[in-house]
Amino acid sequence: MGTLTSVAFAAAVNNRFRSFHRENIKTATTLPKWQKRIFFSSTEDSHRFRIAKCLGNDENSNRDNSVGEIGETDKSSVVKTASREEEDDDETSNSSSTTSSSNEFGSDKTSMPSTVSPVDSTYSSFQIDSFKLMELLGPEKVDPADVKLIKDKLFGYSTFWVTKEEPFGDLGEGILFLGNLRGKKEDVFAKLQRKLVEVAGDKYNLFMIEEPNSEGPDPRGGARVSFGLLRKEVSEPGPTTLWQYVIALILFLLTIGSSVELGIASQINRLPPEVVKYFTDPNAVEPPDMELLYPFVDAALPLAYGVLGILLFHELGHFLAAVPKKVKLSIPYFIPNITLGSFGAITQFKSILPDRSTKVDISLAGPFAGAALSVSMFAVGLFLSTEPDAANDLVQVPSMLFQGSLLLGLISRATLGYAALHAATVSIHPLVIAGWCGLTTTAFNMLPVGCLDGGRAVQGAFGKNALVTFGLSTYVMLGLRVLGGPLALPWGLYVLICQRTPEKPCLNDVTEVGTWRKALVGTAIILVILTLLPVWDELAEEVGIGLVTTF
C-alpha cells in the first residue's frame, strides 16, 4: 500500500512538473536553437530527478525494481509512464557523461551544452564530434591549474580583487579576470607583470584592457579595467615563413613593373598613336607591338625611381620607429597599382605592442616619412616646371588631373598660375607626378579604417570604439566617391579584402596617449580629407583648375 501511495503521489507530482515544463516551453520559443537544447535538456533532467526523489529511489537499478513491484492493474498506466521516463533518464545520463563540454570557467557566452537532448541521437553524435574537433584544432587554452595559481598569487586586496572570470580571446582560449582595481592602473599592471614572470615564468602574456560591457566608469577615474591572460604561443604572431618571403618578392617585382608603367603613361603625348588608342579606347581589341614602348622606358625610369623611393622611405619610417620600442615588423607586402604605381604596402606587427602610444608612434612614422619625401618631390617638381632650363624634361598631362585633389590642386594653381592650369594640357616635371602619387598613396593609407596606418593611429589615440565610428564614415564616403574619386572603389575593395580587421590590443590597452599625439592624429586626418577630396566643378571653374565643360 505504501508503494501505491508513493506511485500515486509521484504521478501527481509528475503532472505538476509537466504543467510547469509546458509553461517554460512557451517562454523558450524565442531562444536561439542551441539555447533551446540546453533549456529543454536541463528542464527534463530536473523534472526526472524530482520524480525519482518522490519515489524514494536514487539509483537507476532501484527505480526499475521499485516499479516492478507494482502489480495493480488500475495503476498500469502510471507504471508505464514512470518506466518510460526512467528509460529516457538513463539515456540522458549516459549521453551527459560523454558529451559534457561546458566551459570550465563558467562563461555564459562561450559555454557549450552540458547535456545533449536525446531526441535525435544522430544529431547529438555529430554535435559531440564537432565539439571535439573544435577543441582539437583550436588554440591551446590556459591550464586550469595555472589559472588557480595565478589568481591566488597575483591578485589580491592590494592590486586587483577578482570577482568574476570569463573566457578571453577570439575563441575563448584565454581567461579574463574581472573585478575591482585597488591602485593606479599603470603601477598595478607593472606589478602584476613582474609577479606573473615569478609565478608562471615566460609562459603567458597579461593584457590590461577596458572591461567589456562595463556598467560605469572606475571610481578612481577613467574606464573600468580587467586583465586578460593568454598563452604566448597563442597571443604572439608567428614568424615569417618562406612562402611569405616569396610572395613579398613577387609583389615587389610587380610593383616595380607598375611604377615603370606609370612612368611610360606619363609620356602619353609622345607615345605612338596605336599604343595610346589601345589603352584609352574601350573598343580596341588587338594589342599593339610592345616593342614600340622600349624607347620610352629610359625616360620612365626617373618617375619610377621616385615612386619606389617614396614607398621604401615610408617603410623605413616604420622600422626606425619600431626599433627603439623593441617591436618587430614583418617584411612589407607591396600592392601594385597602375594608376598610382602602388597602393602602398601591408606591414604586420610581429610582436605585441606594449602600449597605445607605441602603436600611434609606429603607425604615424611611416606616413610622415613618405609624406615628407613626397612633399619635397612635389615642391621641387613645381619649381622646375616653371624653369625654362628644364623645358626638355617636362611632360604634358591633362589639366583635369589637377581636379583630383583639393589641396594639391590649389597648391599647383598657386604655383603654376591661372594660364598654365586653365588649359587642356599642362607641362610639368615628372617629379610633380611622383610627389602627387606619393601624397595620394600616403593619404589613402592614413584613412582611419581597419588595419591601415590611419586605423592603427586612431585606435591608439582614441580607442577601438572611435575607430568603429571613423571606419563606418570612411566606408560611406568611399562608397559615395566623396573621397578618392575614381580610385575610391578599388581602394575600398582592397581594404575590405586585406585590411578591414582592426589591430589587436596592446599589453596595456587602457592608458591613454598624450594630448599632442591626439592633436597630431587629428591634424593628419584633416590633411588626408583635403588631399583626397576632389575639386568640384564650380570651384575648379572659379579658380581656373582645368577646363570645365558644361553640357
Side-chain angles (χ1 to χ4, degrees):
M1 185 64 182
T3 304
L4 292 176
T5 303
S6 299
V7 172
F9 179 70
V13 175
N14 184 20
N15 293 332
R16 174 67 184 92
F17 284 127
R18 283 189 178 278
S19 175
F20 175 76
H21 185 51
R22 284 194 296 269
E23 292 297 322
N24 286 340
I25 289 175
K26 294 180 181 179
T27 65
T29 54
T30 59
L31 294 175
K33 187 173 181 180
W34 70 273
Q35 290 184 359
K36 288 180 182 179
R37 292 198 296 271
I38 300 174
F39 176 85
F40 293 148
S41 178
S42 61
T43 306
E44 287 290 344
D45 289 344
S46 175
H47 163 65
R48 292 165 185 156
F49 174 76
R50 292 172 183 174
I51 292 292
K53 296 298 284 185
C54 292
L55 289 171
N57 302 302
D58 297 331
E59 301 281 333
N60 289 337
S61 59
N62 291 339
R63 279 186 250 173
D64 294 336
N65 294 333
S66 63
V67 172
E69 294 175 1
I70 303 174
E72 281 79 3
T73 306
D74 56 341
K75 305 298 182 181
S76 60
S77 61
V78 177
V79 174
K80 292 179 180 179
T81 301
S83 300
R84 184 166 58 252
E85 292 292 325
E86 292 157 4
E87 291 171 1
D88 293 341
D89 190 26
D90 292 339
E91 295 176 5
T92 304
S93 62
N94 292 334
S95 176
S96 175
S97 64
T98 57
T99 62
S100 176
S101 56
S102 60
N103 190 292
E104 58 192 22
F105 305 111
S107 171
D108 293 334
K109 294 180 180 179
T110 59
S111 59
M112 300 301 179
S114 60
T115 306
V116 181
S117 176
V119 174
D120 187 351
S121 60
T122 303
Y123 180 80
S124 300
S125 299
F126 173 77
Q127 188 182 44
I128 296 168
D129 293 338
S130 299
F131 292 157
K132 290 182 178 180
L133 183 61
M134 290 175 62
E135 187 77 16
L136 180 63
L137 298 180
E140 189 174 0
K141 295 186 176 182
V142 178
D143 189 349
D146 290 341
V147 173
K148 185 178 185 306
L149 179 64
I150 290 171
K151 182 179 177 181
D152 295 339
K153 299 293 185 180
L154 259 69
F155 303 106
Y157 64 90
S158 63
T159 54
F160 185 79
W161 187 260
V162 178
T163 59
K164 188 179 179 182
E165 300 169 17
E166 291 183 356
F168 179 63
D170 297 334
L171 299 175
E173 63 274 22
I175 295 297
L176 183 65
F177 297 98
L178 295 91
N180 300 314
L181 192 66
R182 299 298 177 88
K184 189 178 179 181
K185 301 172 184 176
E186 293 77 12
D187 296 339
V188 170
F189 183 57
K191 184 177 181 180
L192 292 177
Q193 282 186 311
R194 290 193 300 269
K195 294 179 68 175
L196 178 63
V197 175
E198 296 174 1
V199 172
D202 197 30
K203 188 176 180 181
Y204 296 103
N205 278 323
L206 187 67
F207 297 81
M208 182 170 68
I209 64 173
E210 293 185 8
E211 181 179 317
N213 304 320
S214 175
E215 297 179 356
D218 189 271
R220 299 175 180 271
R224 293 182 63 88
V225 302
S226 54
F227 294 91
L229 186 70
L230 287 173
R231 286 182 174 271
K232 282 204 169 185
E233 60 267 24
V234 174
S235 57
E236 294 184 354
T240 304
T241 63
L242 177 61
W243 283 110
Q244 290 175 323
Y245 282 109
V246 173
I247 292 174
L249 177 60
I250 294 174
L251 289 175
F252 182 66
L253 294 177
L254 293 175
T255 302
I256 294 176
S258 62
S259 300
V260 173
E261 187 274 340
L262 176 64
I264 294 175
S266 66
Q267 310 172 63
I268 189 171
N269 60 315
R270 303 175 185 174
L271 297 177
E274 54 269 30
V275 176
V276 177
K277 181 179 180 180
Y278 176 75
F279 286 104
T280 57
D281 187 2
N283 298 322
V285 179
E286 291 190 11
D289 187 2
M290 291 295 106
E291 292 183 359
L292 298 174
L293 298 177
Y294 291 163
F296 302 93
V297 172
D298 290 339
L301 291 180
L303 178 56
Y305 292 151
V307 172
L308 293 173
I310 293 172
L311 293 175
L312 296 176
F313 212 65
H314 180 119
E315 298 306 316
L316 181 62
H318 283 312
F319 280 91
L320 290 179
V323 170
K325 305 287 186 177
K326 297 181 180 180
V327 175
K328 299 178 182 179
L329 300 178
S330 71
I331 54 175
Y333 301 89
F334 293 98
I335 309 300
N337 178 262
I338 60 175
T339 305
L340 298 175
S342 174
F343 266 161
I346 299 175
T347 305
Q348 303 169 335
F349 290 117
K350 284 296 183 181
S351 57
I352 302 178
L353 301 178
D355 49 47
R356 289 164 56 175
S357 297
T358 302
K359 180 182 292 185
V360 173
D361 294 345
I362 297 177
S363 300
L364 291 181
F368 281 11
L373 184 58
S374 299
V375 168
S376 301
M377 291 184 177
F378 186 69
V380 172
L382 288 177
F383 174 76
L384 294 177
S385 299
T386 60
E387 289 293 316
D389 296 339
N392 294 331
D393 298 328
L394 304 184
V395 295
Q396 291 186 349
V397 297
S399 60
M400 64 179 297
L401 293 179
F402 289 88
Q403 299 176 13
S405 171
L406 176 62
L407 180 61
L408 302 183
L410 292 176
I411 294 175
S412 301
R413 163 66 177 79
T415 305
L416 299 179
Y418 178 87
L421 285 183
H422 198 66
T425 59
V426 183
S427 297
I428 57 175
H429 195 273
L431 285 177
V432 175
I433 302 176
W436 186 294
C437 292
L439 287 171
T440 303
T441 301
T442 301
F444 271 123
N445 281 275
M446 270 301 296
L447 285 174
V449 60
C451 208
L452 298 175
D453 292 331
R456 290 170 172 172
V458 168
Q459 184 180 358
F462 304 106
K464 191 173 182 179
N465 293 332
L467 177 61
V468 174
T469 303
F470 276 100
L472 290 176
S473 302
T474 302
Y475 283 128
V476 170
M477 288 189 287
L478 288 175
L480 298 177
R481 295 180 65 177
V482 176
L483 297 177
L487 290 175
L489 180 58
W491 179 260
L493 292 176
Y494 158 69
V495 173
L496 285 173
I497 295 173
C498 302
Q499 300 274 63
R500 67 181 183 275
T501 306
E503 191 61 50
K504 292 184 178 181
C506 310
L507 290 176
N508 179 0
D509 208 49
V510 176
T511 302
E512 295 188 358
V513 302
T515 304
W516 70 269
R517 283 189 174 91
K518 293 183 178 180
L520 201 61
V521 174
T523 303
I525 297 300
I526 294 175
L527 292 176
V528 165
I529 294 175
L530 293 176
T531 302
L532 297 180
L533 189 66
V535 181
W536 53 95
D537 291 344
E538 292 78 6
L539 180 61
E541 181 67 26
E542 183 176 349
V543 301
I545 300 178
L547 293 176
V548 179
T549 304
T550 303
F551 292 95

